[in-house]
Amino acid sequence: MVIKGFLLQVVWFFLIVSSSSYASVESEQKKYDKLQDKWLYKSYYKLSKKTIKGITKVYNLQADETKQVNSSNTHALLAFMWSMGVNKKFAIADSSLANKNADSIKEQYIAQTVLTIAMYNRGWTELAKDMTQKSQHNPEFSGLSEKFHKEQLFANLMIGSLAIREGDLKVTQEAFNKIALATDKPWLPSLAKTATLAANGSILDAIANTKTLLADPTLTAYEREQLEQLKEKLTKDGSTGESMDIAQLVDRLIFDSIKTESNQAYQQLISQLSDYIENVS
């Protein structure tokens, strides 16, 4: 009887948790729908749709035929740039445009990935988790995270960035190992692991990892400065639910560290998107 009563309590607990989670998803979905109806969101959506088409065309005129991109690729990159603590609403708008313009399953997957990152950054955690579960159960997306070449730096960065927020060490390591091989920056997987540890609540381990990273003699002055900031943030704020801020700091550091490894035309694309962000902000 005691065991039976205990089992009933366990079942009841999980029913309550499940019900609460479902209610949160519904609530956050309503907020998402409401955001898309706002004048500012709609105005930006129209502006970005038109402007990014032009920026993409200019890039393709300069790039090799094998390195051409479409509007979906550009919107996804821009959405990620917005997500690095710049503008959470516009990150969602460009993620949606990336999805709308996607021509392949891989492009849909990346668009869904950056949209989920934007949801996490917006604070819509349950909706983000729900989107991830739907992606994981989509047979067309099965195994896609492993199918991006190491040279596809920013696709791997987006995949790894989402994995950090979800505390998924396996996918984090896979994505950032590829980036490390392509950029000759062997410390990147350790940095990504540090952010993942912080997301999982292992703050002391994250701080210890950061101290080890700072001993790497190959770091640039900028990278060392950013890691010092990360260590300080972990020490001060790590235990107070600031994991999203930490993830964004790591995103910015890795983004800045790998953008110079891209081909010249792609660097110019990033520069144009940076100018666009500055003008719109």
Side-chain angles (χ1 to χ4, degrees), residues 109-110 113 117 144-164 168-183 185-186 188-193 196 251 254 258:
Y109 178 72
I110 290 298
T113 296
I117 291 170
L144 271 186
S145 67
E146 302 166 10
K147 294 180 181 178
F148 289 86
H149 302 303
K150 66 182 183 186
E151 290 79 15
Q152 294 175 280
L153 296 176
F154 295 99
N156 283 310
L157 174 55
M158 293 168 196
I159 292 166
S161 178
L162 178 57
I164 286 173
D168 189 334
L169 271 172
K170 180 178 179 294
V171 175
T172 298
Q173 291 298 102
E174 287 173 353
F176 287 100
N177 279 340
K178 291 180 189 177
I179 296 173
L181 284 170
T183 61
K185 291 182 182 289
L188 286 177
S190 294
L191 174 59
K193 182 180 178 181
T196 311
D251 284 346
I254 297 178
I258 68 175

Side-chain angles (χ1 to χ4, degrees), residues 24-192:
S24 296
V25 171
E26 275 203 326
S27 173
E28 290 170 3
Q29 180 67 50
K30 287 178 182 177
K31 290 176 183 176
Y32 176 39
D33 294 340
K34 188 175 180 180
L35 171 65
Q36 294 176 90
D37 285 334
K38 288 188 175 179
W39 177 85
L40 179 61
Y41 180 95
K42 288 181 176 179
S43 298
Y44 173 76
Y45 188 96
K46 289 178 182 177
L47 172 68
S48 185
K49 182 179 178 181
K50 181 179 179 181
T51 307
I52 297 309
K53 189 179 290 184
I55 290 175
T56 303
K57 187 176 181 180
V58 170
Y59 165 80
N60 285 334
L61 289 172
Q62 300 170 338
D64 293 338
E65 191 173 332
T66 58
K67 300 186 185 300
Q68 302 271 302
V69 299
N70 62 18
S71 292
S72 177
N73 306 135
T74 313
H75 279 296
L77 178 59
L78 178 57
F80 188 79
M81 292 170 73
W82 280 125
S83 284
M84 293 188 293
V86 184
N87 191 301
K88 299 171 185 177
K89 296 176 184 176
F90 294 169
I92 290 174
D94 276 302
S95 299
S96 299
L97 282 163
N99 192 48
K100 185 176 181 180
N101 288 282
D103 292 329
S104 68
I105 294 300
K106 273 190 170 183
E107 288 170 4
Q108 288 176 24
Y109 178 72
I110 290 298
Q112 191 78 2
T113 296
V114 289
L115 178 57
T116 309
I117 291 170
M119 295 294 183
Y120 271 113
N121 291 345
R122 183 77 178 164
W124 298 338
T125 306
E126 294 303 323
L127 183 57
K129 289 178 181 176
D130 185 63
M131 291 178 70
T132 295
Q133 286 180 357
K134 287 176 180 175
S135 292
Q136 289 172 345
H137 287 93
N138 183 344
E140 292 185 316
F141 288 169
S142 179
L144 271 186
S145 67
E146 302 166 10
K147 294 180 181 178
F148 289 86
H149 302 303
K150 66 182 183 186
E151 290 79 15
Q152 294 175 280
L153 296 176
F154 295 99
N156 283 310
L157 174 55
M158 293 168 196
I159 292 166
S161 178
L162 178 57
I164 286 173
R165 284 159 174 78
E166 297 186 330
D168 189 334
L169 271 172
K170 180 178 179 294
V171 175
T172 298
Q173 291 298 102
E174 287 173 353
F176 287 100
N177 279 340
K178 291 180 189 177
I179 296 173
L181 284 170
T183 61
D184 197 25
K185 291 182 182 289
W187 52 271
L188 286 177
S190 294
L191 174 59

Side-chain angles (χ1 to χ4, degrees), residues 14-26:
F14 279 108
L15 283 172
I16 292 172
V17 171
S18 176
S19 176
S20 174
S21 176
Y22 178 75
S24 296
V25 171
E26 275 203 326

